[in-house]
Amino acid sequence: MSAPRPRLREALTDLWLAGPATVAMLVLIFIPALIVGVLSFTDYLFGASTFHWVGLDNYIELFTDRTGRRAVTNTLLYVAVVMPTSIVLSLVAALGVHAVARWSRGLANVLRTAYFMPVAATLVAMATVWQMLLHPNLGLVNQVLALAGMAGQEWLSDRGLVLYTLAVIGIWETIGYNMILFLAGLAAIPEHLYDAAAVDGAERGWERFWTVTWPLLGPTTLFVLVVTATRSFRVFETVATLTNGGPAFASDTLVFAMYREGFVYFKAGYSGAITMVFFFFVLTLTLIQLRLVEKRVHYR
Amino acid sequence: MIELENLGKSFGETRALSGVSLTMAEGSFTSLLGPSGCGKSTTLRLIAGLDRPTTGRIRIAGRDVTGLTAAERNIAMVFQSYALYPHMTVRQNINLPLAMRNMTRVERLPVLDRLLPSARRKMADHAARVREVARLLEIDALLERKPAELSGGQKQRVAVGRALVRDPIAFLFDEPLSNLDAKLRIQMRGEIVDLHRRTGRTFVYVTHDQAEAMSMSDRIAVFMAGEIRQVATPRELFERPASREVAAFVGDRPINLIDVAATGAALPPPFDGFAIAGPALPPRVTLGIRPETLDLVPEGPLAGRVGLIEYLGSEAMVTFHLSGAGAEDVTLRAALDAGHGLPAEGDAVSLALDAAAAHLFDADTGRRLDARLVARDGAAAAGSGLRSLP
């Protein structure tokens, strides 16, 4: 009976190490998520003592109601703009900073810090700065445009423009983070592969990029794709602080609608349905990316 | 033929290489040998065109290539870490240099390469060439694998295949065997020598392993502290090392180097059984005695006590602490034939040495002296049937 004792002790230690976090995950994430899932099939209002099963009504409303549809399409459009643009721009920035680091470490560090600033700063505070920049009369953006002889825009109150304005802010916010990830990926590419490529004839920047840099950044790019997709799906702070989803729901997004329906109108059922749809989008997108890209990035 | 003329390379303030001049004949196999940081890899990178020299010129096949890029020089290189592209199959890895060299940028585009007749023709040619090289290197069964699925030796062969596929003017090897295990390394040595015979191309081989350099090359350039210290055939290098450092670096077993004060031709004890024959000697001389030129004899000129014995199978390395006046702290390591029985630790024995095989260096400059060690009367002569225990 002496042999199993240490194994039991080890097992208890393992449980003690993993247990609290698991319990917290269950209590704070999985169980509430399950409850939200269940609520999405009801007409439950926060604080109410009863509810009725309504089947798929909440989902039908989300996809047929003009406001609901608006939130879905706005979010998809926002992701479609932010994700590729941010990834391309951050890759370009990372390639630039990586090249600068060869001849000036100091300048590269300054650039790195500058790009990372939006990530480290509170987005709500930054939104205030954007609000000032984009102010129709006093904002720097319109004043610069005026100097160039161009007409200023109502960046945050023009229905056709507001979503793109938010997308630009979203890109600005995510570039720094993505660039740091790409920089780490670039630093991990072994120098001798570039040497081999040079000997093999891939000498021009473009050929080096396609032969070595881009394929070897595969794992990084996959990670950046997933992170950027989820981050941009979650867009909330800029909507809440700059536009409140307006004008006329032109900048309404899934998470903002979720917040509004759940915490302003207390429609827990409807809000739950939005949450489920949001979850489904993010999950699908991540799975597609993993499926498509994983085969190409693990070099097997 | 590859000619290096007074090459120098500095990285900022650090001088990595200076005054390197070396001619490698067409079809020769030259090793650049030296300890790490001696400039041998820098030299190879300059020949490859991966770095530009700070001073000097490089000519390949009579053409000045100093300002040309690596690809324009048409040389191939095998890297220490193999440098295979991890995302490509073995076939794609070997094919890449052909595609880069022979196909236009348009022909290499993903879809057009299957549509354009010219691209399809070239790709068929290349595929045949890749198969041929793969068969030659016996990696044809691995063509669809990715590098991560290969063993070290297989990766090495793929790297060689990638070098071989486009028939370059010269092959450069940068310590290609140092990541392999000992047994495979010996096997690959033979294969590289074989490859050299078959291709008849100029091979330049960088290594820090003197056994590799000695066994494979026609000529060896010994690099130390960013300079070439000696260029010679393996035999010359072993028999007439130009300096103390070269003698210490070359040879399977480390050479015994002992500084002695020479008064004229005579040597002080414990080497008073020997004298130096040669003109104008410096005041201090370094004796270079290879372990294999020492042997145990009864009443030999060197008396000593047996210290550490390292048994290696067919032979043993035995450390002797010499005894007698002036012999304090003088130790000699000898390689003794283990088949004839070995002395025991602590035994008092006497040694003879093959005086003709001893090297003499100026103790201050380290340069080889144009002089010989000779046995004085009465001292046991060299190589005269010494293989016996006291």
Side-chain angles (χ1 to χ4, degrees), chain A residues 192-193 195-201 203-204 207 211 215-216 299-300, chain B residues 45 69-71 75 79 81 83-87 100 108 146 162 166:
Chain A
H192 57 75
L193 284 183
D195 289 342
V199 171
D200 288 342
E203 289 189 301
R204 283 187 209 84
E207 291 165 346
T211 312
L216 279 133
Y299 311 139
R300 278 173 195 281
Chain B
R45 291 179 62 83
T69 63
I75 39 81
F79 295 85
S81 46
L84 301 179
Y85 308 111
H87 56 289
M100 282 294 168
R108 286 201 307 265
K146 296 263 175 85
R162 191 172 60 179
R166 60 182 162 82

PDB file of all heavy atoms in Angstrom, chain A residues 192-193 195-201 203-204 207 211 215-216 299-300, chain B residues 45 69-71 75 79 81 83-87 100 108 146 162 166:
ATOM      1  N   HIS A 192      20.162  32.223 -41.994  1.00  0.00           N
ATOM      2  CA  HIS A 192      20.799  31.398 -43.025  1.00  0.00           C
ATOM      3  C   HIS A 192      19.824  31.045 -44.147  1.00  0.00           C
ATOM      4  O   HIS A 192      20.253  30.717 -45.249  1.00  0.00           O
ATOM      5  CB  HIS A 192      21.436  30.144 -42.416  1.00  0.00           C
ATOM      6  CG  HIS A 192      20.495  29.282 -41.652  1.00  0.00           C
ATOM      7  ND1 HIS A 192      19.580  28.485 -42.278  1.00  0.00           N
ATOM      8  CD2 HIS A 192      20.333  29.095 -40.332  1.00  0.00           C
ATOM      9  CE1 HIS A 192      18.886  27.847 -41.365  1.00  0.00           C
ATOM     10  NE2 HIS A 192      19.310  28.193 -40.170  1.00  0.00           N
ATOM     11  N   LEU A 193      18.519  31.119 -43.880  1.00  0.00           N
ATOM     12  CA  LEU A 193      17.566  30.868 -44.967  1.00  0.00           C
ATOM     13  C   LEU A 193      17.642  31.972 -46.017  1.00  0.00           C
ATOM     14  O   LEU A 193      17.507  31.720 -47.209  1.00  0.00           O
ATOM     15  CB  LEU A 193      16.144  30.763 -44.421  1.00  0.00           C
ATOM     16  CG  LEU A 193      15.812  29.453 -43.716  1.00  0.00           C
ATOM     17  CD1 LEU A 193      14.358  29.450 -43.282  1.00  0.00           C
ATOM     18  CD2 LEU A 193      16.083  28.272 -44.621  1.00  0.00           C
ATOM     19  N   ASP A 195      20.373  33.615 -46.598  1.00  0.00           N
ATOM     20  CA  ASP A 195      21.631  33.339 -47.296  1.00  0.00           C
ATOM     21  C   ASP A 195      21.405  32.292 -48.376  1.00  0.00           C
ATOM     22  O   ASP A 195      21.849  32.447 -49.510  1.00  0.00           O
ATOM     23  CB  ASP A 195      22.684  32.820 -46.303  1.00  0.00           C
ATOM     24  CG  ASP A 195      23.176  33.915 -45.374  1.00  0.00           C
ATOM     25  OD1 ASP A 195      22.970  35.094 -45.714  1.00  0.00           O
ATOM     26  OD2 ASP A 195      23.752  33.587 -44.326  1.00  0.00           O
ATOM     27  N   ALA A 196      20.711  31.209 -47.990  1.00  0.00           N
ATOM     28  CA  ALA A 196      20.448  30.141 -48.958  1.00  0.00           C
ATOM     29  C   ALA A 196      19.648  30.692 -50.129  1.00  0.00           C
ATOM     30  O   ALA A 196      19.939  30.398 -51.291  1.00  0.00           O
ATOM     31  CB  ALA A 196      19.695  29.008 -48.282  1.00  0.00           C
ATOM     32  N   ALA A 197      18.656  31.533 -49.825  1.00  0.00           N
ATOM     33  CA  ALA A 197      17.831  32.105 -50.885  1.00  0.00           C
ATOM     34  C   ALA A 197      18.675  32.977 -51.813  1.00  0.00           C
ATOM     35  O   ALA A 197      18.506  32.951 -53.033  1.00  0.00           O
ATOM     36  CB  ALA A 197      16.685  32.910 -50.286  1.00  0.00           C
ATOM     37  N   ALA A 198      19.622  33.729 -51.221  1.00  0.00           N
ATOM     38  CA  ALA A 198      20.489  34.592 -52.037  1.00  0.00           C
ATOM     39  C   ALA A 198      21.341  33.744 -52.987  1.00  0.00           C
ATOM     40  O   ALA A 198      21.486  34.061 -54.162  1.00  0.00           O
ATOM     41  CB  ALA A 198      21.383  35.449 -51.142  1.00  0.00           C
ATOM     42  N   VAL A 199      21.882  32.645 -52.465  1.00  0.00           N
ATOM     43  CA  VAL A 199      22.700  31.768 -53.307  1.00  0.00           C
ATOM     44  C   VAL A 199      21.830  31.115 -54.382  1.00  0.00           C
ATOM     45  O   VAL A 199      22.242  30.954 -55.525  1.00  0.00           O
ATOM     46  CB  VAL A 199      23.404  30.696 -52.448  1.00  0.00           C
ATOM     47  CG1 VAL A 199      24.070  29.658 -53.329  1.00  0.00           C
ATOM     48  CG2 VAL A 199      24.435  31.341 -51.538  1.00  0.00           C
ATOM     49  N   ASP A 200      20.606  30.761 -54.011  1.00  0.00           N
ATOM     50  CA  ASP A 200      19.708  30.092 -54.957  1.00  0.00           C
ATOM     51  C   ASP A 200      19.139  31.046 -56.000  1.00  0.00           C
ATOM     52  O   ASP A 200      18.462  30.610 -56.931  1.00  0.00           O
ATOM     53  CB  ASP A 200      18.548  29.428 -54.205  1.00  0.00           C
ATOM     54  CG  ASP A 200      19.013  28.197 -53.448  1.00  0.00           C
ATOM     55  OD1 ASP A 200      20.093  27.692 -53.777  1.00  0.00           O
ATOM     56  OD2 ASP A 200      18.302  27.760 -52.536  1.00  0.00           O
ATOM     57  N   GLY A 201      19.327  32.329 -55.809  1.00  0.00           N
ATOM     58  CA  GLY A 201      18.882  33.263 -56.822  1.00  0.00           C
ATOM     59  C   GLY A 201      17.736  34.174 -56.411  1.00  0.00           C
ATOM     60  O   GLY A 201      17.300  35.007 -57.187  1.00  0.00           O
ATOM     61  N   GLU A 203      17.158  37.077 -54.788  1.00  0.00           N
ATOM     62  CA  GLU A 203      17.954  38.153 -54.200  1.00  0.00           C
ATOM     63  C   GLU A 203      17.173  39.433 -54.017  1.00  0.00           C
ATOM     64  O   GLU A 203      17.409  40.173 -53.084  1.00  0.00           O
ATOM     65  CB  GLU A 203      19.151  38.445 -55.099  1.00  0.00           C
ATOM     66  CG  GLU A 203      20.158  37.348 -55.041  1.00  0.00           C
ATOM     67  CD  GLU A 203      21.410  37.741 -55.760  1.00  0.00           C
ATOM     68  OE1 GLU A 203      21.339  38.037 -56.953  1.00  0.00           O
ATOM     69  OE2 GLU A 203      22.457  37.760 -55.126  1.00  0.00           O
ATOM     70  N   ARG A 204      16.245  39.685 -54.938  1.00  0.00           N
ATOM     71  CA  ARG A 204      15.497  40.929 -54.816  1.00  0.00           C
ATOM     72  C   ARG A 204      14.562  40.839 -53.627  1.00  0.00           C
ATOM     73  O   ARG A 204      14.153  39.740 -53.228  1.00  0.00           O
ATOM     74  CB  ARG A 204      14.693  41.185 -56.089  1.00  0.00           C
ATOM     75  CG  ARG A 204      15.576  41.686 -57.205  1.00  0.00           C
ATOM     76  CD  ARG A 204      14.754  42.091 -58.416  1.00  0.00           C
ATOM     77  NE  ARG A 204      15.543  41.905 -59.616  1.00  0.00           N
ATOM     78  CZ  ARG A 204      15.643  40.736 -60.238  1.00  0.00           C
ATOM     79  NH1 ARG A 204      14.972  39.690 -59.779  1.00  0.00           N
ATOM     80  NH2 ARG A 204      16.373  40.619 -61.312  1.00  0.00           N
ATOM     81  N   GLU A 207      11.432  38.748 -54.088  1.00  0.00           N
ATOM     82  CA  GLU A 207      11.669  37.305 -54.163  1.00  0.00           C
ATOM     83  C   GLU A 207      12.019  36.745 -52.797  1.00  0.00           C
ATOM     84  O   GLU A 207      11.572  35.664 -52.423  1.00  0.00           O
ATOM     85  CB  GLU A 207      12.812  37.014 -55.145  1.00  0.00           C
ATOM     86  CG  GLU A 207      12.440  37.302 -56.576  1.00  0.00           C
ATOM     87  CD  GLU A 207      13.646  37.357 -57.501  1.00  0.00           C
ATOM     88  OE1 GLU A 207      14.782  37.442 -56.990  1.00  0.00           O
ATOM     89  OE2 GLU A 207      13.437  37.335 -58.703  1.00  0.00           O
ATOM     90  N   THR A 211       9.881  33.884 -51.037  1.00  0.00           N
ATOM     91  CA  THR A 211      10.557  32.605 -50.841  1.00  0.00           C
ATOM     92  C   THR A 211      10.737  32.281 -49.368  1.00  0.00           C
ATOM     93  O   THR A 211      10.577  31.141 -48.955  1.00  0.00           O
ATOM     94  CB  THR A 211      11.948  32.625 -51.520  1.00  0.00           C
ATOM     95  OG1 THR A 211      11.793  33.137 -52.836  1.00  0.00           O
ATOM     96  CG2 THR A 211      12.547  31.238 -51.584  1.00  0.00           C
ATOM     97  N   PRO A 215       6.329  32.708 -46.216  1.00  0.00           N
ATOM     98  CA  PRO A 215       6.026  31.351 -45.740  1.00  0.00           C
ATOM     99  C   PRO A 215       6.435  31.121 -44.288  1.00  0.00           C
ATOM    100  O   PRO A 215       5.711  30.464 -43.548  1.00  0.00           O
ATOM    101  CB  PRO A 215       6.849  30.445 -46.662  1.00  0.00           C
ATOM    102  CG  PRO A 215       7.362  31.278 -47.751  1.00  0.00           C
ATOM    103  CD  PRO A 215       7.203  32.702 -47.401  1.00  0.00           C
ATOM    104  N   LEU A 216       7.553  31.691 -43.884  1.00  0.00           N
ATOM    105  CA  LEU A 216       7.997  31.433 -42.509  1.00  0.00           C
ATOM    106  C   LEU A 216       7.238  32.250 -41.483  1.00  0.00           C
ATOM    107  O   LEU A 216       7.282  31.970 -40.301  1.00  0.00           O
ATOM    108  CB  LEU A 216       9.498  31.655 -42.389  1.00  0.00           C
ATOM    109  CG  LEU A 216      10.191  30.406 -42.912  1.00  0.00           C
ATOM    110  CD1 LEU A 216      11.294  30.694 -43.855  1.00  0.00           C
ATOM    111  CD2 LEU A 216      10.625  29.534 -41.775  1.00  0.00           C
ATOM    112  N   TYR A 299       4.371  23.106 -41.720  1.00  0.00           N
ATOM    113  CA  TYR A 299       5.492  22.541 -42.457  1.00  0.00           C
ATOM    114  C   TYR A 299       5.517  21.026 -42.433  1.00  0.00           C
ATOM    115  O   TYR A 299       6.559  20.413 -42.310  1.00  0.00           O
ATOM    116  CB  TYR A 299       6.824  23.068 -41.915  1.00  0.00           C
ATOM    117  CG  TYR A 299       6.841  24.558 -41.762  1.00  0.00           C
ATOM    118  CD1 TYR A 299       7.426  25.146 -40.667  1.00  0.00           C
ATOM    119  CD2 TYR A 299       6.259  25.372 -42.724  1.00  0.00           C
ATOM    120  CE1 TYR A 299       7.440  26.516 -40.529  1.00  0.00           C
ATOM    121  CE2 TYR A 299       6.273  26.733 -42.593  1.00  0.00           C
ATOM    122  CZ  TYR A 299       6.863  27.302 -41.489  1.00  0.00           C
ATOM    123  OH  TYR A 299       6.881  28.650 -41.351  1.00  0.00           O
ATOM    124  N   ARG A 300       4.343  20.410 -42.460  1.00  0.00           N
ATOM    125  CA  ARG A 300       4.344  18.947 -42.512  1.00  0.00           C
ATOM    126  C   ARG A 300       3.452  18.460 -43.637  1.00  0.00           C
ATOM    127  O   ARG A 300       2.574  19.162 -44.058  1.00  0.00           O
ATOM    128  CB  ARG A 300       3.839  18.367 -41.181  1.00  0.00           C
ATOM    129  CG  ARG A 300       4.936  18.346 -40.185  1.00  0.00           C
ATOM    130  CD  ARG A 300       4.420  17.939 -38.835  1.00  0.00           C
ATOM    131  NE  ARG A 300       5.401  18.261 -37.831  1.00  0.00           N
ATOM    132  CZ  ARG A 300       6.469  17.530 -37.581  1.00  0.00           C
ATOM    133  NH1 ARG A 300       6.686  16.437 -38.255  1.00  0.00           N
ATOM    134  NH2 ARG A 300       7.331  17.882 -36.666  1.00  0.00           N
TER     135      ARG A 300
ATOM    136  N   ARG B  45      31.897  33.300 -46.904  1.00  0.00           N
ATOM    137  CA  ARG B  45      30.762  34.175 -47.221  1.00  0.00           C
ATOM    138  C   ARG B  45      31.161  35.247 -48.244  1.00  0.00           C
ATOM    139  O   ARG B  45      30.336  35.650 -49.066  1.00  0.00           O
ATOM    140  CB  ARG B  45      30.218  34.843 -45.952  1.00  0.00           C
ATOM    141  CG  ARG B  45      29.524  33.864 -45.016  1.00  0.00           C
ATOM    142  CD  ARG B  45      29.034  34.569 -43.758  1.00  0.00           C
ATOM    143  NE  ARG B  45      28.048  35.593 -44.051  1.00  0.00           N
ATOM    144  CZ  ARG B  45      26.758  35.346 -44.229  1.00  0.00           C
ATOM    145  NH1 ARG B  45      26.316  34.124 -44.119  1.00  0.00           N
ATOM    146  NH2 ARG B  45      25.915  36.321 -44.512  1.00  0.00           N
ATOM    147  N   THR B  69      26.471  39.874 -57.068  1.00  0.00           N
ATOM    148  CA  THR B  69      25.673  39.243 -56.014  1.00  0.00           C
ATOM    149  C   THR B  69      25.933  37.738 -56.015  1.00  0.00           C
ATOM    150  O   THR B  69      26.547  37.201 -56.930  1.00  0.00           O
ATOM    151  CB  THR B  69      24.178  39.460 -56.263  1.00  0.00           C
ATOM    152  OG1 THR B  69      23.846  38.803 -57.497  1.00  0.00           O
ATOM    153  CG2 THR B  69      23.830  40.918 -56.364  1.00  0.00           C
ATOM    154  N   ALA B  70      25.419  37.098 -54.984  1.00  0.00           N
ATOM    155  CA  ALA B  70      25.637  35.657 -54.823  1.00  0.00           C
ATOM    156  C   ALA B  70      25.119  34.894 -56.043  1.00  0.00           C
ATOM    157  O   ALA B  70      25.792  34.002 -56.564  1.00  0.00           O
ATOM    158  CB  ALA B  70      24.944  35.175 -53.558  1.00  0.00           C
ATOM    159  N   ALA B  71      23.933  35.242 -56.517  1.00  0.00           N
ATOM    160  CA  ALA B  71      23.337  34.493 -57.622  1.00  0.00           C
ATOM    161  C   ALA B  71      24.120  34.695 -58.912  1.00  0.00           C
ATOM    162  O   ALA B  71      24.278  33.780 -59.706  1.00  0.00           O
ATOM    163  CB  ALA B  71      21.889  34.917 -57.807  1.00  0.00           C
ATOM    164  N   ILE B  75      27.696  30.119 -57.881  1.00  0.00           N
ATOM    165  CA  ILE B  75      28.323  29.162 -56.984  1.00  0.00           C
ATOM    166  C   ILE B  75      27.201  28.528 -56.165  1.00  0.00           C
ATOM    167  O   ILE B  75      26.092  29.053 -56.086  1.00  0.00           O
ATOM    168  CB  ILE B  75      29.354  29.816 -56.044  1.00  0.00           C
ATOM    169  CG1 ILE B  75      28.869  31.171 -55.575  1.00  0.00           C
ATOM    170  CG2 ILE B  75      30.690  29.986 -56.728  1.00  0.00           C
ATOM    171  CD1 ILE B  75      27.946  31.189 -54.494  1.00  0.00           C
ATOM    172  N   PHE B  79      25.075  24.786 -46.216  1.00  0.00           N
ATOM    173  CA  PHE B  79      25.223  25.460 -44.928  1.00  0.00           C
ATOM    174  C   PHE B  79      25.283  24.454 -43.778  1.00  0.00           C
ATOM    175  O   PHE B  79      24.770  23.341 -43.876  1.00  0.00           O
ATOM    176  CB  PHE B  79      24.041  26.401 -44.701  1.00  0.00           C
ATOM    177  CG  PHE B  79      23.983  27.523 -45.687  1.00  0.00           C
ATOM    178  CD1 PHE B  79      23.375  27.352 -46.921  1.00  0.00           C
ATOM    179  CD2 PHE B  79      24.537  28.752 -45.392  1.00  0.00           C
ATOM    180  CE1 PHE B  79      23.324  28.381 -47.844  1.00  0.00           C
ATOM    181  CE2 PHE B  79      24.498  29.785 -46.301  1.00  0.00           C
ATOM    182  CZ  PHE B  79      23.881  29.604 -47.526  1.00  0.00           C
ATOM    183  N   SER B  81      23.672  24.477 -41.016  1.00  0.00           N
ATOM    184  CA  SER B  81      22.349  24.100 -40.525  1.00  0.00           C
ATOM    185  C   SER B  81      21.457  23.638 -41.669  1.00  0.00           C
ATOM    186  O   SER B  81      20.255  23.601 -41.535  1.00  0.00           O
ATOM    187  CB  SER B  81      21.724  25.285 -39.833  1.00  0.00           C
ATOM    188  OG  SER B  81      21.915  26.424 -40.637  1.00  0.00           O
ATOM    189  N   ALA B  83      19.921  24.850 -43.926  1.00  0.00           N
ATOM    190  CA  ALA B  83      19.148  25.955 -44.503  1.00  0.00           C
ATOM    191  C   ALA B  83      18.138  25.491 -45.544  1.00  0.00           C
ATOM    192  O   ALA B  83      17.991  26.098 -46.594  1.00  0.00           O
ATOM    193  CB  ALA B  83      20.076  27.019 -45.091  1.00  0.00           C
ATOM    194  N   LEU B  84      17.431  24.412 -45.253  1.00  0.00           N
ATOM    195  CA  LEU B  84      16.349  23.986 -46.154  1.00  0.00           C
ATOM    196  C   LEU B  84      15.116  24.827 -45.865  1.00  0.00           C
ATOM    197  O   LEU B  84      14.892  25.224 -44.727  1.00  0.00           O
ATOM    198  CB  LEU B  84      16.037  22.500 -45.937  1.00  0.00           C
ATOM    199  CG  LEU B  84      17.199  21.545 -46.160  1.00  0.00           C
ATOM    200  CD1 LEU B  84      16.764  20.118 -45.884  1.00  0.00           C
ATOM    201  CD2 LEU B  84      17.734  21.666 -47.569  1.00  0.00           C
ATOM    202  N   TYR B  85      14.314  25.075 -46.907  1.00  0.00           N
ATOM    203  CA  TYR B  85      13.090  25.845 -46.695  1.00  0.00           C
ATOM    204  C   TYR B  85      12.049  24.927 -46.053  1.00  0.00           C
ATOM    205  O   TYR B  85      11.629  23.947 -46.678  1.00  0.00           O
ATOM    206  CB  TYR B  85      12.575  26.402 -48.017  1.00  0.00           C
ATOM    207  CG  TYR B  85      13.645  27.159 -48.772  1.00  0.00           C
ATOM    208  CD1 TYR B  85      14.168  26.672 -49.953  1.00  0.00           C
ATOM    209  CD2 TYR B  85      14.151  28.346 -48.261  1.00  0.00           C
ATOM    210  CE1 TYR B  85      15.172  27.348 -50.624  1.00  0.00           C
ATOM    211  CE2 TYR B  85      15.157  29.027 -48.927  1.00  0.00           C
ATOM    212  CZ  TYR B  85      15.657  28.535 -50.111  1.00  0.00           C
ATOM    213  OH  TYR B  85      16.656  29.196 -50.757  1.00  0.00           O
ATOM    214  N   PRO B  86      11.636  25.210 -44.820  1.00  0.00           N
ATOM    215  CA  PRO B  86      10.810  24.244 -44.077  1.00  0.00           C
ATOM    216  C   PRO B  86       9.424  24.043 -44.673  1.00  0.00           C
ATOM    217  O   PRO B  86       8.804  23.013 -44.450  1.00  0.00           O
ATOM    218  CB  PRO B  86      10.722  24.861 -42.676  1.00  0.00           C
ATOM    219  CG  PRO B  86      11.013  26.300 -42.866  1.00  0.00           C
ATOM    220  CD  PRO B  86      11.941  26.406 -44.036  1.00  0.00           C
ATOM    221  N   HIS B  87       8.950  25.021 -45.442  1.00  0.00           N
ATOM    222  CA  HIS B  87       7.585  24.912 -45.957  1.00  0.00           C
ATOM    223  C   HIS B  87       7.539  24.191 -47.297  1.00  0.00           C
ATOM    224  O   HIS B  87       6.486  23.977 -47.840  1.00  0.00           O
ATOM    225  CB  HIS B  87       6.968  26.301 -46.084  1.00  0.00           C
ATOM    226  CG  HIS B  87       7.791  27.216 -46.952  1.00  0.00           C
ATOM    227  ND1 HIS B  87       9.011  27.703 -46.533  1.00  0.00           N
ATOM    228  CD2 HIS B  87       7.592  27.702 -48.179  1.00  0.00           C
ATOM    229  CE1 HIS B  87       9.516  28.465 -47.480  1.00  0.00           C
ATOM    230  NE2 HIS B  87       8.681  28.483 -48.491  1.00  0.00           N
ATOM    231  N   MET B 100      14.468  29.709 -59.973  1.00  0.00           N
ATOM    232  CA  MET B 100      14.941  31.080 -59.806  1.00  0.00           C
ATOM    233  C   MET B 100      15.870  31.479 -60.945  1.00  0.00           C
ATOM    234  O   MET B 100      15.883  32.612 -61.388  1.00  0.00           O
ATOM    235  CB  MET B 100      15.688  31.202 -58.479  1.00  0.00           C
ATOM    236  CG  MET B 100      14.763  31.297 -57.300  1.00  0.00           C
ATOM    237  SD  MET B 100      13.854  32.836 -57.399  1.00  0.00           S
ATOM    238  CE  MET B 100      12.616  32.574 -56.168  1.00  0.00           C
ATOM    239  N   ARG B 108       7.101  32.128 -63.138  1.00  0.00           N
ATOM    240  CA  ARG B 108       7.076  31.521 -61.800  1.00  0.00           C
ATOM    241  C   ARG B 108       5.769  31.763 -61.071  1.00  0.00           C
ATOM    242  O   ARG B 108       5.559  31.218 -59.997  1.00  0.00           O
ATOM    243  CB  ARG B 108       8.223  32.084 -60.947  1.00  0.00           C
ATOM    244  CG  ARG B 108       9.591  31.559 -61.314  1.00  0.00           C
ATOM    245  CD  ARG B 108      10.543  31.740 -60.149  1.00  0.00           C
ATOM    246  NE  ARG B 108      10.585  33.103 -59.656  1.00  0.00           N
ATOM    247  CZ  ARG B 108      11.483  33.999 -60.039  1.00  0.00           C
ATOM    248  NH1 ARG B 108      12.397  33.676 -60.890  1.00  0.00           N
ATOM    249  NH2 ARG B 108      11.459  35.209 -59.546  1.00  0.00           N
ATOM    250  N   LYS B 146       8.645  16.829 -46.217  1.00  0.00           N
ATOM    251  CA  LYS B 146       9.095  18.148 -45.786  1.00  0.00           C
ATOM    252  C   LYS B 146      10.343  17.964 -44.916  1.00  0.00           C
ATOM    253  O   LYS B 146      10.509  16.901 -44.298  1.00  0.00           O
ATOM    254  CB  LYS B 146       8.000  18.841 -44.955  1.00  0.00           C
ATOM    255  CG  LYS B 146       6.720  19.129 -45.732  1.00  0.00           C
ATOM    256  CD  LYS B 146       6.704  20.555 -46.247  1.00  0.00           C
ATOM    257  CE  LYS B 146       5.516  20.860 -47.117  1.00  0.00           C
ATOM    258  NZ  LYS B 146       4.324  21.259 -46.366  1.00  0.00           N
ATOM    259  N   ARG B 162      20.446  20.372 -53.533  1.00  0.00           N
ATOM    260  CA  ARG B 162      20.069  21.713 -53.952  1.00  0.00           C
ATOM    261  C   ARG B 162      21.275  22.444 -54.547  1.00  0.00           C
ATOM    262  O   ARG B 162      21.138  23.269 -55.443  1.00  0.00           O
ATOM    263  CB  ARG B 162      19.522  22.475 -52.742  1.00  0.00           C
ATOM    264  CG  ARG B 162      18.858  23.760 -53.094  1.00  0.00           C
ATOM    265  CD  ARG B 162      18.175  24.362 -51.902  1.00  0.00           C
ATOM    266  NE  ARG B 162      19.123  24.637 -50.827  1.00  0.00           N
ATOM    267  CZ  ARG B 162      18.791  25.191 -49.668  1.00  0.00           C
ATOM    268  NH1 ARG B 162      17.542  25.488 -49.430  1.00  0.00           N
ATOM    269  NH2 ARG B 162      19.695  25.417 -48.744  1.00  0.00           N
ATOM    270  N   ARG B 166      22.046  22.660 -60.152  1.00  0.00           N
ATOM    271  CA  ARG B 166      22.178  23.601 -61.277  1.00  0.00           C
ATOM    272  C   ARG B 166      23.602  23.716 -61.795  1.00  0.00           C
ATOM    273  O   ARG B 166      23.951  24.668 -62.456  1.00  0.00           O
ATOM    274  CB  ARG B 166      21.642  24.966 -60.893  1.00  0.00           C
ATOM    275  CG  ARG B 166      22.347  25.582 -59.735  1.00  0.00           C
ATOM    276  CD  ARG B 166      21.713  26.917 -59.393  1.00  0.00           C
ATOM    277  NE  ARG B 166      22.086  27.325 -58.066  1.00  0.00           N
ATOM    278  CZ  ARG B 166      23.225  27.925 -57.791  1.00  0.00           C
ATOM    279  NH1 ARG B 166      24.087  28.180 -58.738  1.00  0.00           N
ATOM    280  NH2 ARG B 166      23.497  28.274 -56.559  1.00  0.00           N
TER     281      ARG B 166
END
